[in-house]
Amino acid sequence: MTVGGPVLVTGAAGFIGHAVSERLLARGERVIGLDNFTDYYDVALKEARVARLVDNFDFRLVRGDIASPELLAELVAGNGVRRIVHLAAQAGVRYSIENPFAYEHSNLKGHLAVLEAARQAGNVEHLVYASSSSVYGERPLGGSGFREDEPCTAPVSLYAATKRSCELMSKSYATLYGLRMSGLRFFTVYGPWGRPDMAYFGFAQKILLGQPIEVYGEGRMARDFTYIDDIVDGVVGVLDKPPADGEHRLLNIGDCNPVGLMDMIATLERALGRQAVKLMRPMQPGDVTATYADISAIRDLTGYSPKVALEQGIERFVDWYLSEIEQGGRGPMAAVA
């Protein structure tokens, strides 16, 4: 399915970016993938993801910084890009406390560079970008799903604040320049080829090494874990449904089924066939107690319906992880081999 020019996917070496690129290529799209391969986590894993894409004739990899306005303008206008999936960002709540200016550079300046490139090109039909469930701030366990029309005025981390800022910047550009934009609030994405800084990934590594895991919030936390294939369904579904000129919409993209942290650990233990040694720790600065997506809006728009339950998704992750170890390991897996 090829519609106009190539799709620009920023963060194409990332977890979600490489999976979205793979799906677009599989349906006949041409893709330009942009990534700067930062060392926030092992670059070998990013290189391994991209290796799955570069042999496709319809994929072009560009190594560069998202915060370069000149590069973004050339990529969009110079290649006839009509659709953009902007996933590049500095991720991580805790890392934002240690390295705040990395978030100013990638998340704020980088997002502005994408907006400016779309504005200058003048013919971008749809810009889909990554936001985060962290914009909702602290919420208690239980209750109902977070809704997009709720006020998001109390971020508890700089990462969350930059993501909310990107939403507001996008709204202003849609209003000023008639751009069509969709911001996706991702809820705890997991699965094969995932990020080593995520809890489930780090726990698996330590359990296999026989090392204790640190369980923050004393285990009294819950997350709306969403499997990568379901996320890709949602991203591509939204990309295919551009809003009207000048419309900026926000959409939750999650599983709509929060799972307690201790339940996730138990699921991981079953899949690995090993028990974890647990060290209970207090909540860390910037963390939130729970996330819970109301997905009514994206379901009504695209028919989005998550299909992979946590038990199945964790089993798939563990199968992938163990196969990487058997093959000698890449990056973060090498230590377990």
Side-chain angles (χ1 to χ4, degrees):
M1 176 181 176
T2 303
V3 181
V7 182
L8 173 63
V9 178
T10 73
F15 177 30
I16 302 175
H18 105 279
V20 169
S21 297
E22 197 169 45
R23 179 73 62 84
L24 292 173
L25 291 167
R27 71 176 196 174
E29 301 273 12
R30 290 179 294 136
V31 175
I32 298 173
L34 173 65
D35 207 292
N36 67 345
F37 293 81
T38 66
D39 61 359
Y40 168 63
Y41 58 82
D42 200 312
V43 175
L45 180 57
K46 300 180 181 184
E47 295 284 3
R49 292 184 188 127
V50 167
R52 294 158 52 86
L53 305 172
V54 293
D55 288 340
N56 191 308
F57 181 79
D58 289 323
F59 181 78
R60 172 190 168 198
L61 176 64
V62 177
R63 295 174 184 263
D65 189 347
I66 189 66
S68 170
E70 297 80 9
L71 173 61
L72 266 294
E74 188 278 326
L75 285 178
V76 175
N79 292 280
V81 169
R82 299 293 183 89
R83 290 162 297 149
I84 301 171
V85 182
H86 173 38
L87 302 171
Q90 177 57 61
V93 168
R94 295 166 192 167
Y95 190 71
S96 70
I97 295 173
E98 304 165 13
N99 295 277
F101 287 101
Y103 294 75
E104 175 269 336
H105 180 82
S106 295
N107 297 8
L108 299 180
K109 187 177 179 182
H111 192 75
L112 181 58
V114 174
L115 292 175
E116 272 294 295
R119 177 187 73 84
Q120 293 171 19
N123 58 359
V124 172
E125 297 169 357
H126 197 187
L127 166 55
V128 177
Y129 69 91
S131 186
S132 168
S133 62
S134 66
V135 302
Y136 288 107
E138 173 61 17
R139 303 292 179 94
L141 290 169
S144 58
F146 305 171
R147 293 180 56 87
E148 296 91 343
D149 56 2
E150 297 176 22
C152 295
T153 58
V156 298
S157 69
L158 177 64
Y159 169 70
T162 62
K163 284 299 187 179
R164 182 61 180 142
S165 298
C166 290
E167 294 179 352
L168 296 173
M169 292 161 63
S170 299
K171 173 62 176 175
S172 70
Y173 264 66
T175 302
L176 284 169
Y177 306 115
L179 296 177
R180 301 175 174 185
M181 281 188 273
S182 300
L184 302 179
R185 291 174 172 172
F186 291 111
F187 282 71
T188 314
V189 188
Y190 76 100
W193 297 99
R195 282 176 24 213
D197 64 312
M198 299 292 286
Y200 74 96
F201 202 124
F203 287 168
Q205 187 174 26
K206 289 186 175 181
I207 292 170
L208 288 172
L209 288 169
Q211 298 175 351
I213 64 173
E214 294 184 303
V215 182
Y216 290 100
E218 305 289 345
R220 294 187 291 271
M221 302 167 67
R223 292 291 182 269
D224 199 337
F225 293 99
T226 315
Y227 190 69
I228 183 62
D229 290 1
D230 290 328
I231 286 289
V232 174
D233 287 345
V235 173
V236 175
V238 170
L239 181 65
D240 291 342
K241 299 280 187 179
D245 289 347
E247 181 182 350
H248 171 258
R249 62 191 177 199
L250 293 169
L251 298 164
N252 290 334
I253 179 167
D255 190 71
C256 195
N257 182 34
V259 175
L261 179 57
M262 299 305 295
D263 292 332
M264 184 275 283
I265 294 171
T267 301
L268 186 58
E269 289 173 326
R270 287 192 297 272
L272 290 169
R274 302 190 187 187
Q275 293 293 305
V277 178
K278 306 173 187 71
L279 303 178
M280 309 308 283
R281 302 289 191 230
M283 186 86 77
Q284 287 194 306
D287 266 349
V288 296
T289 303
T291 63
Y292 183 179
D294 182 314
I295 58 172
S296 301
I298 192 171
R299 183 180 60 230
D300 292 345
L301 177 69
T302 69
Y304 173 76
S305 178
K307 301 175 180 64
V308 181
L310 184 68
E311 190 91 24
Q312 182 183 17
I314 288 292
E315 288 177 358
R316 292 181 186 178
F317 163 74
V318 168
D319 288 346
W320 167 79
Y321 191 94
L322 295 177
S323 72
E324 290 295 303
I325 295 172
E326 291 174 359
Q327 295 172 27
R330 292 189 183 95
M333 284 71 78
V336 189

